[in-house]
Amino acid sequence: MAKKGDDADEEEGGGKQKMMMMVGGGVLALGGVYNFVLKPAPEEAPDAMAMVEIEPVEGEILELPEMVINLSDDEVSYLRVGVALVLEEGIIAADFEAESAIAKDVILDDLSSRTASELKDSDAKQLVKEELSMRVREEYGDEKVVRVLFTALVMQ
């Protein structure tokens, strides 16, 4: 008789163990489902280098020939302007001359749309240089040209 009771206890204990293992397995399975299916994906942290805008290092300066431009005043007015391009370090000015026509085109388009009164004030000139620098740099795919300088500016 002792055997029957021992077997019953073992079967009863074994059943509890099996039940506990099944419950534990179910909990693990639910945890896996949560982790891989239901849990929202963490937001990807932006690349630290992408967030920091690296300023290009200035290199050689390429002086362009002076240009005479019709300003957009009601009366006929002219602007004689000398422009130089500050190139990125590593860009050789002599090699870049062939590409400088793109910069001249952007500069002519921009300055010919302005009036003499827009260009008289020194603060306005600074703003125009900054805008030209941005537009020229964009035209070259945000590389090669760092900024634009005025070497001469005469209005008539």
Side-chain angles (χ1 to χ4, degrees), residues 136-154:
V136 168
R137 186 158 171 78
E138 283 176 2
E139 197 66 30
Y140 287 101
D142 286 332
E143 51 186 37
K144 298 183 182 180
V145 178
V146 177
R147 61 191 175 107
V148 173
L149 304 173
F150 288 145
T151 58
L153 194 72
V154 178

Side-chain angles (χ1 to χ4, degrees), residues 11 24-25 28 38 44 50 52 59 62 68 71-72 82 90 102 106 112 130 138 146 151:
E11 284 179 25
L28 286 175
L38 301 175
E44 289 185 26
V52 177
L62 174 63
V68 177
L71 294 173
S72 92
I102 295 169
V106 171
S112 65
E130 290 171 9
E138 283 176 2
V146 177
T151 58

Side-chain angles (χ1 to χ4, degrees), residues 59-151:
E60 293 185 35
I61 296 175
L62 174 63
E63 192 164 346
L64 302 176
E66 285 190 356
M67 297 176 266
V68 177
I69 300 169
N70 290 326
L71 294 173
S72 92
D73 290 310
D74 291 336
E75 295 179 20
V76 177
S77 57
Y78 301 101
L79 170 70
R80 188 178 81 205
V81 64
V83 177
L85 305 175
V86 179
L87 304 175
E88 283 188 359
E89 186 177 57
I91 304 294
I92 308 300
D95 296 340
F96 189 77
E97 276 188 75
E99 294 181 60
S100 67
I102 295 169
K104 285 178 67 173
D105 183 54
V106 171
I107 293 164
L108 286 169
D109 280 348
D110 185 273
L111 293 178
S112 65
S113 69
R114 298 185 183 267
T115 63
S117 59
E118 286 181 85
L119 298 170
K120 283 184 180 175
D121 182 36
S122 63
D123 290 337
K125 287 179 208 165
Q126 183 61 35
L127 183 62
V128 169
K129 279 195 304 187
E130 290 171 9
E131 289 174 3
L132 279 174
S133 296
M134 183 183 71
R135 289 190 62 209
V136 168
R137 186 158 171 78
E138 283 176 2
E139 197 66 30
Y140 287 101
D142 286 332
E143 51 186 37
K144 298 183 182 180
V145 178
V146 177
R147 61 191 175 107
V148 173
L149 304 173
F150 288 145
T151 58

